[in-house]
Short mmCIF file of all heavy atoms in Angstrom, two decimals:
data_model
loop_
_atom_site.label_atom_id
_atom_site.label_comp_id
_atom_site.label_asym_id
_atom_site.label_seq_id
_atom_site.Cartn_x
_atom_site.Cartn_y
_atom_site.Cartn_z
N ASP Y 797 28.00 -22.18 -3.17
CA ASP Y 797 27.49 -22.11 -4.54
C ASP Y 797 25.99 -21.83 -4.62
O ASP Y 797 25.44 -21.74 -5.72
CB ASP Y 797 27.77 -23.41 -5.29
CG ASP Y 797 29.26 -23.63 -5.52
OD1 ASP Y 797 30.00 -22.63 -5.51
OD2 ASP Y 797 29.67 -24.78 -5.71
N ILE Y 798 25.32 -21.68 -3.48
CA ILE Y 798 23.86 -21.61 -3.48
C ILE Y 798 23.34 -20.50 -4.38
O ILE Y 798 22.34 -20.67 -5.07
CB ILE Y 798 23.31 -21.49 -2.04
CG1 ILE Y 798 21.78 -21.57 -2.05
CG2 ILE Y 798 23.80 -20.24 -1.35
CD1 ILE Y 798 21.16 -21.69 -0.66
N PHE Y 799 24.03 -19.35 -4.40
CA PHE Y 799 23.59 -18.25 -5.25
C PHE Y 799 24.50 -18.04 -6.46
O PHE Y 799 24.38 -17.04 -7.17
CB PHE Y 799 23.49 -16.95 -4.43
CG PHE Y 799 22.53 -17.05 -3.28
CD1 PHE Y 799 22.93 -16.68 -2.00
CD2 PHE Y 799 21.24 -17.52 -3.47
CE1 PHE Y 799 22.05 -16.77 -0.93
CE2 PHE Y 799 20.35 -17.61 -2.40
CZ PHE Y 799 20.76 -17.24 -1.12
N GLN Y 800 25.41 -18.99 -6.67
CA GLN Y 800 26.22 -18.98 -7.88
C GLN Y 800 25.63 -19.92 -8.93
O GLN Y 800 25.89 -19.79 -10.12
CB GLN Y 800 27.66 -19.42 -7.56
CG GLN Y 800 28.32 -18.63 -6.44
CD GLN Y 800 28.32 -17.14 -6.69
OE1 GLN Y 800 28.66 -16.69 -7.78
NE2 GLN Y 800 27.94 -16.36 -5.67
N ASN Y 801 24.84 -20.88 -8.45
CA ASN Y 801 24.19 -21.81 -9.37
C ASN Y 801 23.21 -21.09 -10.29
O ASN Y 801 22.71 -20.01 -9.98
CB ASN Y 801 23.39 -22.86 -8.58
CG ASN Y 801 24.28 -23.77 -7.76
OD1 ASN Y 801 25.43 -23.99 -8.11
ND2 ASN Y 801 23.75 -24.29 -6.66
N GLU Y 802 22.92 -21.72 -11.40
CA GLU Y 802 21.82 -21.28 -12.25
C GLU Y 802 20.66 -22.26 -12.10
O GLU Y 802 20.83 -23.46 -12.27
CB GLU Y 802 22.26 -21.22 -13.72
CG GLU Y 802 23.27 -20.11 -14.00
CD GLU Y 802 23.59 -19.99 -15.48
OE1 GLU Y 802 23.16 -20.87 -16.26
OE2 GLU Y 802 24.26 -19.01 -15.85
N TYR Y 803 19.51 -21.73 -11.73
CA TYR Y 803 18.33 -22.55 -11.53
C TYR Y 803 17.42 -22.36 -12.75
O TYR Y 803 16.58 -21.47 -12.80
CB TYR Y 803 17.63 -22.17 -10.23
CG TYR Y 803 18.52 -22.34 -9.02
CD1 TYR Y 803 19.20 -21.27 -8.46
CD2 TYR Y 803 18.71 -23.60 -8.45
CE1 TYR Y 803 20.03 -21.42 -7.36
CE2 TYR Y 803 19.54 -23.77 -7.35
CZ TYR Y 803 20.20 -22.69 -6.81
OH TYR Y 803 21.03 -22.86 -5.71
N ARG Y 804 17.61 -23.19 -13.74
CA ARG Y 804 16.94 -23.02 -15.04
C ARG Y 804 15.67 -23.83 -15.20
O ARG Y 804 14.82 -23.50 -16.05
CB ARG Y 804 17.91 -23.36 -16.17
CG ARG Y 804 19.04 -22.36 -16.31
CD ARG Y 804 19.84 -22.55 -17.58
NE ARG Y 804 20.81 -21.46 -17.77
CZ ARG Y 804 20.55 -20.30 -18.36
NH1 ARG Y 804 19.33 -20.09 -18.83
NH2 ARG Y 804 21.47 -19.38 -18.47
N SER Y 805 15.51 -24.88 -14.39
CA SER Y 805 14.32 -25.70 -14.57
C SER Y 805 13.93 -26.33 -13.23
O SER Y 805 14.80 -26.59 -12.38
CB SER Y 805 14.59 -26.79 -15.61
OG SER Y 805 15.60 -27.69 -15.15
N PRO Y 806 12.65 -26.56 -13.05
CA PRO Y 806 11.57 -26.20 -13.98
C PRO Y 806 11.19 -24.72 -13.84
O PRO Y 806 11.23 -24.16 -12.74
CB PRO Y 806 10.42 -27.10 -13.53
CG PRO Y 806 10.65 -27.28 -12.07
CD PRO Y 806 12.14 -27.32 -11.88
N ARG Y 807 10.87 -24.10 -14.94
CA ARG Y 807 10.35 -22.74 -14.95
C ARG Y 807 9.07 -22.70 -15.77
O ARG Y 807 8.82 -23.58 -16.59
CB ARG Y 807 11.39 -21.75 -15.50
CG ARG Y 807 12.51 -21.46 -14.49
CD ARG Y 807 13.44 -20.36 -14.91
NE ARG Y 807 14.44 -20.08 -13.89
CZ ARG Y 807 14.33 -19.11 -12.98
NH1 ARG Y 807 13.29 -18.31 -12.99
NH2 ARG Y 807 15.29 -18.94 -12.09
N SER Y 808 8.29 -21.67 -15.52
CA SER Y 808 6.98 -21.58 -16.15
C SER Y 808 7.10 -21.55 -17.67
O SER Y 808 8.00 -20.90 -18.22
CB SER Y 808 6.26 -20.33 -15.67
OG SER Y 808 5.08 -20.11 -16.43
N PRO Y 809 6.18 -22.20 -18.38
CA PRO Y 809 6.16 -22.11 -19.84
C PRO Y 809 5.51 -20.81 -20.35
O PRO Y 809 5.38 -20.63 -21.55
CB PRO Y 809 5.32 -23.33 -20.25
CG PRO Y 809 4.38 -23.53 -19.10
CD PRO Y 809 5.16 -23.15 -17.87
N TYR Y 810 5.13 -19.91 -19.40
CA TYR Y 810 4.44 -18.69 -19.78
C TYR Y 810 5.23 -17.46 -19.33
O TYR Y 810 6.05 -17.53 -18.42
CB TYR Y 810 3.04 -18.65 -19.16
CG TYR Y 810 2.22 -19.87 -19.47
CD1 TYR Y 810 1.75 -20.69 -18.44
CD2 TYR Y 810 1.90 -20.21 -20.78
CE1 TYR Y 810 0.99 -21.82 -18.72
CE2 TYR Y 810 1.15 -21.34 -21.07
CZ TYR Y 810 0.70 -22.15 -20.03
OH TYR Y 810 -0.05 -23.26 -20.31
N THR Y 811 4.93 -16.35 -19.97
CA THR Y 811 5.53 -15.08 -19.56
C THR Y 811 5.04 -14.74 -18.16
O THR Y 811 3.84 -14.77 -17.88
CB THR Y 811 5.12 -13.97 -20.54
OG1 THR Y 811 5.54 -14.35 -21.86
CG2 THR Y 811 5.77 -12.65 -20.15
N THR Y 812 5.98 -14.40 -17.28
CA THR Y 812 5.61 -14.18 -15.90
C THR Y 812 6.72 -13.41 -15.18
O THR Y 812 7.79 -13.15 -15.75
CB THR Y 812 5.37 -15.53 -15.19
OG1 THR Y 812 4.78 -15.31 -13.90
CG2 THR Y 812 6.66 -16.32 -15.02
N LEU Y 813 6.46 -13.03 -13.96
CA LEU Y 813 7.50 -12.54 -13.06
C LEU Y 813 7.92 -13.71 -12.18
O LEU Y 813 7.07 -14.41 -11.62
CB LEU Y 813 6.98 -11.38 -12.19
CG LEU Y 813 6.59 -10.11 -12.94
CD1 LEU Y 813 5.99 -9.09 -11.97
CD2 LEU Y 813 7.77 -9.50 -13.68
N GLN Y 814 9.23 -13.90 -12.04
CA GLN Y 814 9.71 -15.06 -11.31
C GLN Y 814 11.05 -14.75 -10.67
O GLN Y 814 11.68 -13.73 -10.96
CB GLN Y 814 9.83 -16.26 -12.24
CG GLN Y 814 10.74 -16.02 -13.44
CD GLN Y 814 10.71 -17.15 -14.45
OE1 GLN Y 814 10.26 -18.25 -14.15
NE2 GLN Y 814 11.18 -16.88 -15.65
N ILE Y 815 11.48 -15.63 -9.79
CA ILE Y 815 12.76 -15.43 -9.12
C ILE Y 815 13.87 -15.47 -10.17
O ILE Y 815 13.82 -16.26 -11.12
CB ILE Y 815 12.97 -16.48 -8.01
CG1 ILE Y 815 14.04 -16.01 -7.02
CG2 ILE Y 815 13.29 -17.84 -8.59
CD1 ILE Y 815 14.08 -16.79 -5.73
N PRO Y 816 14.87 -14.61 -10.03
CA PRO Y 816 15.95 -14.59 -11.03
C PRO Y 816 16.74 -15.90 -11.08
O PRO Y 816 16.59 -16.79 -10.23
CB PRO Y 816 16.82 -13.42 -10.57
CG PRO Y 816 15.90 -12.53 -9.80
CD PRO Y 816 14.95 -13.47 -9.11
N LEU Y 817 17.59 -15.97 -12.08
CA LEU Y 817 18.28 -17.20 -12.45
C LEU Y 817 19.07 -17.83 -11.31
O LEU Y 817 19.18 -19.05 -11.20
CB LEU Y 817 19.22 -16.90 -13.63
CG LEU Y 817 19.95 -18.05 -14.28
CD1 LEU Y 817 18.96 -19.03 -14.90
CD2 LEU Y 817 20.92 -17.52 -15.35
N HIS Y 818 19.62 -16.99 -10.43
CA HIS Y 818 20.51 -17.52 -9.38
C HIS Y 818 19.79 -17.77 -8.06
O HIS Y 818 20.44 -18.02 -7.04
CB HIS Y 818 21.69 -16.57 -9.18
CG HIS Y 818 22.54 -16.43 -10.41
ND1 HIS Y 818 23.38 -17.42 -10.84
CD2 HIS Y 818 22.65 -15.43 -11.32
CE1 HIS Y 818 23.99 -17.04 -11.96
NE2 HIS Y 818 23.55 -15.84 -12.27
N GLY Y 819 18.46 -17.68 -8.06
CA GLY Y 819 17.71 -18.08 -6.87
C GLY Y 819 17.69 -17.05 -5.76
O GLY Y 819 17.41 -17.41 -4.61
N ILE Y 820 17.97 -15.79 -6.08
CA ILE Y 820 17.97 -14.74 -5.08
C ILE Y 820 17.50 -13.45 -5.75
O ILE Y 820 17.73 -13.25 -6.95
CB ILE Y 820 19.37 -14.55 -4.45
CG1 ILE Y 820 19.34 -13.53 -3.30
CG2 ILE Y 820 20.42 -14.22 -5.48
CD1 ILE Y 820 20.65 -13.42 -2.55
N GLY Y 821 16.85 -12.58 -4.97
CA GLY Y 821 16.35 -11.33 -5.51
C GLY Y 821 14.95 -11.49 -6.07
O GLY Y 821 14.28 -12.50 -5.86
N GLU Y 822 14.50 -10.47 -6.77
CA GLU Y 822 13.22 -10.53 -7.46
C GLU Y 822 13.31 -9.65 -8.70
O GLU Y 822 14.39 -9.18 -9.04
CB GLU Y 822 12.04 -10.14 -6.55
CG GLU Y 822 12.37 -9.41 -5.27
CD GLU Y 822 12.75 -7.97 -5.48
OE1 GLU Y 822 12.37 -7.39 -6.50
OE2 GLU Y 822 13.44 -7.42 -4.62
N TRP Y 823 12.20 -9.44 -9.37
CA TRP Y 823 12.25 -8.85 -10.70
C TRP Y 823 12.75 -7.41 -10.70
O TRP Y 823 13.26 -6.94 -11.70
CB TRP Y 823 10.90 -8.96 -11.39
CG TRP Y 823 9.82 -8.08 -10.83
CD1 TRP Y 823 9.01 -8.36 -9.77
CD2 TRP Y 823 9.42 -6.80 -11.32
NE1 TRP Y 823 8.14 -7.33 -9.56
CE2 TRP Y 823 8.36 -6.36 -10.50
CE3 TRP Y 823 9.85 -5.99 -12.36
CZ2 TRP Y 823 7.73 -5.14 -10.69
CZ3 TRP Y 823 9.21 -4.77 -12.55
CH2 TRP Y 823 8.17 -4.35 -11.73
N THR Y 824 12.63 -6.70 -9.59
CA THR Y 824 13.20 -5.35 -9.51
C THR Y 824 14.65 -5.37 -9.08
O THR Y 824 15.32 -4.33 -9.12
CB THR Y 824 12.39 -4.46 -8.55
OG1 THR Y 824 12.40 -5.03 -7.25
CG2 THR Y 824 10.95 -4.31 -9.03
N HIS Y 825 15.13 -6.51 -8.62
CA HIS Y 825 16.53 -6.67 -8.23
C HIS Y 825 17.08 -7.96 -8.86
O HIS Y 825 17.49 -8.88 -8.16
CB HIS Y 825 16.68 -6.76 -6.71
CG HIS Y 825 16.18 -5.56 -5.97
ND1 HIS Y 825 14.89 -5.45 -5.52
CD2 HIS Y 825 16.81 -4.42 -5.61
CE1 HIS Y 825 14.73 -4.30 -4.90
NE2 HIS Y 825 15.88 -3.65 -4.95
N PRO Y 826 17.11 -8.05 -10.16
CA PRO Y 826 17.46 -9.33 -10.79
C PRO Y 826 18.92 -9.70 -10.67
O PRO Y 826 19.28 -10.85 -10.90
CB PRO Y 826 17.07 -9.11 -12.26
CG PRO Y 826 17.20 -7.63 -12.46
CD PRO Y 826 16.77 -7.02 -11.17
N LYS Y 827 19.77 -8.73 -10.33
CA LYS Y 827 21.20 -9.02 -10.24
C LYS Y 827 21.70 -9.09 -8.79
O LYS Y 827 22.91 -9.11 -8.55
CB LYS Y 827 21.99 -7.95 -11.00
CG LYS Y 827 21.74 -7.96 -12.50
CD LYS Y 827 22.25 -9.25 -13.13
CE LYS Y 827 22.05 -9.25 -14.64
NZ LYS Y 827 22.59 -10.46 -15.27
N THR Y 828 20.79 -9.13 -7.86
CA THR Y 828 21.18 -9.31 -6.47
C THR Y 828 21.95 -10.62 -6.30
O THR Y 828 21.63 -11.63 -6.91
CB THR Y 828 19.94 -9.34 -5.56
OG1 THR Y 828 19.31 -8.07 -5.60
CG2 THR Y 828 20.30 -9.66 -4.12
N THR Y 829 22.95 -10.60 -5.45
CA THR Y 829 23.64 -11.83 -5.09
C THR Y 829 24.12 -11.72 -3.66
O THR Y 829 23.92 -10.70 -2.99
CB THR Y 829 24.81 -12.13 -6.05
OG1 THR Y 829 25.30 -13.45 -5.78
CG2 THR Y 829 25.93 -11.13 -5.89
N ALA Y 830 24.71 -12.77 -3.16
CA ALA Y 830 25.27 -12.77 -1.81
C ALA Y 830 26.40 -13.79 -1.77
O ALA Y 830 26.28 -14.88 -2.33
CB ALA Y 830 24.20 -13.12 -0.77
N ALA Y 831 27.47 -13.42 -1.11
CA ALA Y 831 28.63 -14.31 -0.98
C ALA Y 831 28.52 -15.10 0.32
O ALA Y 831 28.45 -14.52 1.40
CB ALA Y 831 29.91 -13.50 -1.01
N ILE Y 832 28.51 -16.42 0.20
CA ILE Y 832 28.42 -17.30 1.37
C ILE Y 832 29.79 -17.92 1.62
O ILE Y 832 30.47 -18.37 0.69
CB ILE Y 832 27.37 -18.40 1.14
CG1 ILE Y 832 26.01 -17.78 0.76
CG2 ILE Y 832 27.23 -19.28 2.37
CD1 ILE Y 832 25.47 -16.80 1.77
N ALA Y 833 30.19 -17.92 2.85
CA ALA Y 833 31.54 -18.37 3.24
C ALA Y 833 31.77 -19.82 2.82
O ALA Y 833 30.87 -20.67 2.92
CB ALA Y 833 31.74 -18.20 4.73
N ALA Y 834 33.00 -20.09 2.41
CA ALA Y 834 33.38 -21.47 2.06
C ALA Y 834 33.87 -22.22 3.28
O ALA Y 834 33.67 -23.44 3.40
CB ALA Y 834 34.45 -21.44 0.97
N ASP Y 835 34.53 -21.52 4.18
CA ASP Y 835 35.09 -22.15 5.38
C ASP Y 835 34.17 -21.85 6.56
O ASP Y 835 33.98 -20.69 6.93
CB ASP Y 835 36.49 -21.59 5.65
CG ASP Y 835 37.14 -22.25 6.86
OD1 ASP Y 835 36.82 -23.41 7.13
OD2 ASP Y 835 37.94 -21.57 7.53
N ILE Y 836 33.58 -22.88 7.13
CA ILE Y 836 32.58 -22.72 8.18
C ILE Y 836 33.25 -22.83 9.55
O ILE Y 836 33.89 -23.83 9.88
CB ILE Y 836 31.47 -23.77 8.06
CG1 ILE Y 836 30.92 -23.81 6.63
CG2 ILE Y 836 30.38 -23.51 9.08
CD1 ILE Y 836 30.33 -22.52 6.16
N LYS Y 837 33.10 -21.79 10.35
CA LYS Y 837 33.55 -21.83 11.75
C LYS Y 837 32.35 -22.12 12.64
O LYS Y 837 31.22 -21.79 12.30
CB LYS Y 837 34.21 -20.51 12.14
CG LYS Y 837 35.52 -20.23 11.40
CD LYS Y 837 36.14 -18.93 11.89
CE LYS Y 837 37.54 -18.75 11.32
NZ LYS Y 837 37.57 -18.75 9.85
N TYR Y 838 32.65 -22.73 13.81
CA TYR Y 838 31.55 -23.16 14.66
C TYR Y 838 31.98 -23.16 16.11
O TYR Y 838 33.05 -23.66 16.44
CB TYR Y 838 31.09 -24.57 14.25
CG TYR Y 838 30.01 -25.15 15.13
CD1 TYR Y 838 28.73 -24.60 15.14
CD2 TYR Y 838 30.28 -26.23 15.96
CE1 TYR Y 838 27.74 -25.13 15.95
CE2 TYR Y 838 29.29 -26.78 16.77
CZ TYR Y 838 28.02 -26.21 16.77
OH TYR Y 838 27.04 -26.73 17.58
N ASP Y 839 31.17 -22.60 16.99
CA ASP Y 839 31.48 -22.55 18.42
C ASP Y 839 30.18 -22.63 19.21
O ASP Y 839 29.54 -21.63 19.51
CB ASP Y 839 32.22 -21.26 18.76
CG ASP Y 839 32.65 -21.20 20.23
OD1 ASP Y 839 32.59 -22.26 20.88
OD2 ASP Y 839 33.01 -20.12 20.70
N PHE Y 840 29.76 -23.87 19.52
CA PHE Y 840 28.51 -24.08 20.25
C PHE Y 840 28.59 -25.46 20.89
O PHE Y 840 29.23 -26.37 20.35
CB PHE Y 840 27.31 -23.98 19.29
CG PHE Y 840 25.99 -23.83 19.97
CD1 PHE Y 840 25.71 -22.70 20.75
CD2 PHE Y 840 25.00 -24.80 19.85
CE1 PHE Y 840 24.47 -22.55 21.36
CE2 PHE Y 840 23.76 -24.65 20.46
CZ PHE Y 840 23.51 -23.52 21.23
N PRO Y 841 27.94 -25.65 22.03
CA PRO Y 841 28.08 -26.94 22.73
C PRO Y 841 27.58 -28.16 21.96
O PRO Y 841 28.01 -29.28 22.24
CB PRO Y 841 27.27 -26.73 24.01
CG PRO Y 841 27.31 -25.26 24.25
CD PRO Y 841 27.29 -24.65 22.89
N VAL Y 842 26.65 -27.98 21.01
CA VAL Y 842 26.21 -29.14 20.24
C VAL Y 842 27.37 -29.64 19.38
O VAL Y 842 27.89 -28.88 18.55
CB VAL Y 842 25.01 -28.80 19.35
CG1 VAL Y 842 24.63 -30.00 18.50
CG2 VAL Y 842 23.80 -28.38 20.19
N PRO Y 843 27.79 -30.88 19.53
CA PRO Y 843 28.92 -31.39 18.73
C PRO Y 843 28.48 -31.78 17.33
O PRO Y 843 28.04 -32.90 17.08
CB PRO Y 843 29.39 -32.60 19.54
CG PRO Y 843 28.19 -33.07 20.28
CD PRO Y 843 27.36 -31.86 20.56
N PHE Y 844 28.56 -30.85 16.39
CA PHE Y 844 28.19 -31.11 15.00
C PHE Y 844 29.42 -31.58 14.22
O PHE Y 844 30.53 -31.08 14.42
CB PHE Y 844 27.63 -29.86 14.34
CG PHE Y 844 26.19 -29.58 14.67
CD1 PHE Y 844 25.81 -28.32 15.10
CD2 PHE Y 844 25.22 -30.56 14.53
CE1 PHE Y 844 24.48 -28.05 15.39
CE2 PHE Y 844 23.89 -30.29 14.82
CZ PHE Y 844 23.52 -29.04 15.26
N ARG Y 845 29.17 -32.49 13.29
CA ARG Y 845 30.21 -32.96 12.38
C ARG Y 845 30.07 -32.18 11.07
O ARG Y 845 29.29 -32.54 10.18
CB ARG Y 845 30.06 -34.46 12.14
CG ARG Y 845 31.19 -35.11 11.35
CD ARG Y 845 30.96 -36.62 11.26
NE ARG Y 845 32.13 -37.28 10.70
CZ ARG Y 845 32.39 -37.41 9.40
NH1 ARG Y 845 31.53 -36.91 8.54
NH2 ARG Y 845 33.47 -38.04 8.99
N ILE Y 846 30.77 -31.06 10.97
CA ILE Y 846 30.65 -30.19 9.81
C ILE Y 846 31.78 -30.50 8.83
O ILE Y 846 32.95 -30.52 9.21
CB ILE Y 846 30.72 -28.71 10.24
CG1 ILE Y 846 29.57 -28.39 11.19
CG2 ILE Y 846 30.68 -27.79 9.03
CD1 ILE Y 846 29.64 -27.01 11.79
N SER Y 847 31.41 -30.74 7.59
CA SER Y 847 32.41 -31.07 6.58
C SER Y 847 33.19 -29.81 6.19
O SER Y 847 32.61 -28.74 5.98
CB SER Y 847 31.74 -31.65 5.34
OG SER Y 847 32.67 -31.81 4.31
N HIS Y 848 34.49 -29.96 6.04
CA HIS Y 848 35.34 -28.87 5.58
C HIS Y 848 35.90 -29.15 4.19
O HIS Y 848 36.86 -28.53 3.75
CB HIS Y 848 36.48 -28.63 6.57
CG HIS Y 848 35.98 -28.13 7.90
ND1 HIS Y 848 35.60 -26.83 8.11
CD2 HIS Y 848 35.78 -28.79 9.06
CE1 HIS Y 848 35.19 -26.69 9.37
NE2 HIS Y 848 35.29 -27.87 9.97
N LYS Y 849 35.25 -30.09 3.52
CA LYS Y 849 35.60 -30.38 2.14
C LYS Y 849 34.77 -29.50 1.21
O LYS Y 849 33.94 -28.71 1.65
CB LYS Y 849 35.38 -31.86 1.84
CG LYS Y 849 36.27 -32.79 2.68
CD LYS Y 849 36.00 -34.24 2.36
CE LYS Y 849 36.88 -35.15 3.20
NZ LYS Y 849 36.62 -36.59 2.91
N GLU Y 850 34.96 -29.64 -0.08
CA GLU Y 850 34.25 -28.82 -1.06
C GLU Y 850 32.74 -28.98 -0.88
O GLU Y 850 32.02 -28.00 -0.80
CB GLU Y 850 34.66 -29.22 -2.48
CG GLU Y 850 33.89 -28.51 -3.59
CD GLU Y 850 34.21 -27.03 -3.71
OE1 GLU Y 850 35.22 -26.58 -3.10
OE2 GLU Y 850 33.46 -26.32 -4.41
N LYS Y 851 32.30 -30.21 -0.83
CA LYS Y 851 30.88 -30.45 -0.59
C LYS Y 851 30.62 -30.51 0.91
O LYS Y 851 31.20 -31.34 1.61
CB LYS Y 851 30.43 -31.75 -1.27
CG LYS Y 851 30.46 -31.68 -2.79
CD LYS Y 851 29.91 -32.96 -3.42
CE LYS Y 851 29.88 -32.84 -4.96
NZ LYS Y 851 29.35 -34.07 -5.59
N ASN Y 852 29.76 -29.61 1.37
CA ASN Y 852 29.54 -29.54 2.82
C ASN Y 852 28.06 -29.43 3.19
O ASN Y 852 27.73 -29.08 4.32
CB ASN Y 852 30.30 -28.36 3.41
CG ASN Y 852 29.93 -27.03 2.78
OD1 ASN Y 852 29.10 -26.97 1.89
ND2 ASN Y 852 30.57 -25.97 3.25
N VAL Y 853 27.17 -29.74 2.25
CA VAL Y 853 25.75 -29.66 2.54
C VAL Y 853 25.00 -30.62 1.63
O VAL Y 853 25.44 -30.90 0.51
CB VAL Y 853 25.23 -28.21 2.33
CG1 VAL Y 853 25.35 -27.79 0.87
CG2 VAL Y 853 23.81 -28.04 2.83
N VAL Y 854 23.89 -31.13 2.12
CA VAL Y 854 23.00 -31.90 1.28
C VAL Y 854 21.79 -31.02 1.00
O VAL Y 854 21.03 -30.68 1.89
CB VAL Y 854 22.59 -33.25 1.91
CG1 VAL Y 854 22.07 -33.10 3.33
CG2 VAL Y 854 21.59 -33.96 1.02
N PHE Y 855 21.67 -30.60 -0.26
CA PHE Y 855 20.60 -29.70 -0.67
C PHE Y 855 19.41 -30.49 -1.20
O PHE Y 855 19.57 -31.50 -1.91
CB PHE Y 855 21.08 -28.76 -1.77
CG PHE Y 855 21.77 -27.52 -1.27
CD1 PHE Y 855 22.74 -26.89 -2.05
CD2 PHE Y 855 21.44 -26.95 -0.04
CE1 PHE Y 855 23.37 -25.73 -1.63
CE2 PHE Y 855 22.07 -25.79 0.40
CZ PHE Y 855 23.04 -25.18 -0.40
N THR Y 856 18.24 -30.01 -0.89
CA THR Y 856 17.01 -30.47 -1.53
C THR Y 856 16.31 -29.27 -2.12
O THR Y 856 16.44 -28.15 -1.64
CB THR Y 856 16.07 -31.16 -0.53
OG1 THR Y 856 15.64 -30.20 0.45
CG2 THR Y 856 16.76 -32.31 0.17
N SER Y 857 15.56 -29.48 -3.20
CA SER Y 857 14.89 -28.36 -3.84
C SER Y 857 13.93 -28.89 -4.90
O SER Y 857 14.11 -30.00 -5.41
CB SER Y 857 15.92 -27.43 -4.51
OG SER Y 857 15.28 -26.35 -5.15
N LEU Y 858 12.93 -28.10 -5.22
CA LEU Y 858 12.07 -28.41 -6.36
C LEU Y 858 12.71 -28.01 -7.67
O LEU Y 858 12.21 -28.37 -8.74
CB LEU Y 858 10.70 -27.74 -6.20
CG LEU Y 858 9.90 -28.15 -4.96
CD1 LEU Y 858 8.52 -27.52 -4.98
CD2 LEU Y 858 9.78 -29.67 -4.87
N TRP Y 859 13.82 -27.26 -7.62
CA TRP Y 859 14.64 -27.07 -8.81
C TRP Y 859 15.26 -28.42 -9.20
O TRP Y 859 15.55 -29.26 -8.33
CB TRP Y 859 15.77 -26.08 -8.55
CG TRP Y 859 15.37 -24.67 -8.23
CD1 TRP Y 859 15.55 -24.02 -7.05
CD2 TRP Y 859 14.74 -23.74 -9.11
NE1 TRP Y 859 15.09 -22.74 -7.12
CE2 TRP Y 859 14.58 -22.53 -8.39
CE3 TRP Y 859 14.32 -23.80 -10.43
CZ2 TRP Y 859 14.00 -21.39 -8.94
CZ3 TRP Y 859 13.74 -22.66 -10.99
CH2 TRP Y 859 13.58 -21.48 -10.26
N ASP Y 860 15.50 -28.61 -10.48
CA ASP Y 860 16.08 -29.86 -10.94
C ASP Y 860 17.55 -30.01 -10.53
O ASP Y 860 18.13 -31.09 -10.68
CB ASP Y 860 15.99 -29.96 -12.47
CG ASP Y 860 14.56 -30.19 -12.94
OD1 ASP Y 860 13.73 -30.65 -12.12
OD2 ASP Y 860 14.27 -29.90 -14.12
#
Side-chain angles (χ1 to χ4, degrees):
D797 293 337
I798 186 170
F799 301 129
Q800 306 305 313
N801 294 333
E802 291 185 351
Y803 301 98
R804 291 191 173 273
S805 64
R807 285 188 177 264
S808 171
Y810 306 119
T811 303
T812 190
L813 296 176
Q814 57 188 343
I815 199 165
L817 186 63
H818 298 287
I820 185 173
E822 16 75 23
W823 71 275
T824 60
H825 300 91
K827 294 295 182 178
T828 295
T829 189
I832 305 303
D835 182 29
I836 309 300
K837 294 183 171 58
Y838 176 68
D839 184 13
F840 195 63
V842 176
F844 280 129
R845 188 176 189 276
I846 300 173
S847 172
H848 294 282
K849 297 179 180 179
E850 175 69 13
K851 293 184 177 180
N852 57 0
V853 64
V854 51
F855 275 152
T856 64
S857 180
L858 299 185
W859 296 115
D860 289 340

